[in-house]
Amino acid sequence: MVQPSRRKVDQSLQYRWGIIGVVLAVIGLVWFARTSGILKQTSETRENPNVKIVCPRCEGDPVKKAKCSLCRGTGFLWVDKTKYLPEEVSTAP
């Protein structure tokens, strides 16, 4: 059984359709990223949600903080400020 031969397409048309396909793919990717919120340019995305607080176990005392396993001797911890009320958190210097 003989297969029908494929039509030959001019080489310049192949390149042109290839470039158009790549451009459409990039435009589609940018559109998807903007609509889904991946490329948000707001200050909310750049804000650090962490805050430095004094260790509740050793309270920054030099004698206690050397043996403190919670802060590992630093005297402070980094916590997510969205999980704690402002009254509960005392920030470290």
Side-chain angles (χ1 to χ4, degrees), residues 3-91:
Q3 297 279 338
S5 62
R6 295 178 66 184
R7 287 179 28 192
K8 296 212 177 206
V9 179
D10 188 24
Q11 192 74 15
S12 64
L13 285 176
Q14 284 182 344
Y15 289 130
R16 192 175 300 154
W17 282 111
I19 291 171
I20 290 172
V22 168
V23 168
L24 288 175
V26 169
I27 290 171
L29 180 64
V30 169
W31 172 80
F32 173 74
R34 285 186 184 254
T35 58
S36 65
I38 295 172
L39 294 178
K40 283 190 177 176
Q41 299 291 333
T42 63
S43 62
E44 293 176 5
T45 57
R46 294 187 207 125
E47 185 179 327
N48 188 3
N50 297 324
V51 65
K52 186 177 180 181
I53 64 167
V54 177
C55 177
R57 188 178 291 168
C58 68
E59 298 173 347
D61 184 29
V63 177
K64 291 181 184 177
K65 90 174 168 181
K67 296 179 184 176
C68 183
S69 61
L70 184 62
C71 66
R72 296 184 180 143
T74 59
F76 62 87
L77 299 171
W78 287 97
V79 295
D80 188 0
K81 66 183 173 186
T82 60
K83 295 181 181 179
Y84 296 95
L85 296 175
E87 300 86 39
E88 297 174 351
V89 176
S90 59
T91 58

